[in-house]
Amino acid sequence: METTENTPEYAPEHPARLSWTEHVPEVYKAMVRLDAAARKGVDPTLLELVKIRASQLNHCAYCLDMHTKDALAAGESVERIIQLSAWDESRHFYTERELAALELTEAVTVLTDGFVPDDVYERAAKQFEEAELAQLIAAITVINAWNRFAVSTRMVPGHYTPGQHQ
């Protein structure tokens, strides 16, 4: 990136460690199929909020880039995306259903106690029918898997175009 007198000099972009999709194409194709199956029946706005929140927790810059761009392109507000990192203090930005999904996302993503707490699961179960809840858990699990591929291989954020992988 060229700099001028008024343009700040940014840090250099790090290279990806490897292109895992090229080395294990069958795994990548299976992940794409799993992702498509997991998203069925999940509200697209809710799905993007869940993907962004899990990606924040996992420090996945590549997926944050992708899912914030997809959410914005789908009409999500900048304000709600910004507030996601502090959703518990910004509850009034979200519906009860979204709050239950975000809480479940955190519990499934950060398994520090080795389980999803009963109260978290019960709040989600009150907001979602069993089939919807199963789909939501699948979607949360899949974004966590994508995060792990992207973080471990240091996929480079900033080059994604909304809808590129859909």
Side-chain angles (χ1 to χ4, degrees), residues 65-143:
D65 179 55
M66 176 187 298
H67 297 296
T68 55
K69 287 176 179 175
D70 282 346
L72 289 167
E76 183 57 80
S77 75
V78 171
E79 191 171 45
R80 282 173 32 108
I81 292 171
I82 290 169
Q83 292 301 318
L84 267 177
S85 64
W87 67 267
D88 201 28
E89 295 177 33
S90 306
R91 298 176 77 81
H92 60 286
F93 285 89
Y94 308 99
T95 67
E96 288 300 319
R97 202 169 152 85
E98 290 168 338
L99 290 168
L102 291 171
E103 187 175 24
L104 184 63
T105 299
E106 289 200 7
V108 171
T109 301
V110 185
L111 292 172
T112 54
D113 292 330
F115 60 91
V116 173
D118 289 339
D119 61 325
V120 170
Y121 185 87
E122 288 165 12
R123 277 192 289 281
K126 286 180 184 171
Q127 294 295 323
F128 298 90
E129 294 176 14
E130 282 190 354
E132 291 177 306
L133 185 56
Q135 285 295 146
L136 179 59
I137 292 168
I140 294 166
T141 301
V142 170
I143 188 57

Side-chain angles (χ1 to χ4, degrees), residues 44-64:
T45 301
L46 178 69
L47 183 63
E48 291 304 329
L49 292 175
V50 163
K51 288 180 175 188
I52 294 167
R53 185 62 189 135
S55 299
Q56 288 172 336
L57 294 166
N58 289 322
H59 306 281
C60 185
Y62 182 85
C63 293
L64 281 169

Side-chain angles (χ1 to χ4, degrees), residues 4-57:
T4 65
E5 218 173 282
N6 297 329
T7 306
E9 186 175 332
Y10 294 104
E13 184 176 289
H14 67 77
R17 288 180 172 152
L18 64 87
S19 178
W20 73 272
T21 61
E22 291 176 21
H23 294 288
V24 287
E26 292 306 313
V27 173
Y28 175 71
K29 290 175 194 171
M31 281 296 299
V32 169
R33 288 190 306 273
L34 182 60
D35 188 80
R39 74 176 53 227
K40 285 185 180 173
V42 180
D43 174 79
T45 301
L46 178 69
L47 183 63
E48 291 304 329
L49 292 175
V50 163
K51 288 180 175 188
I52 294 167
R53 185 62 189 135
S55 299
Q56 288 172 336
L57 294 166

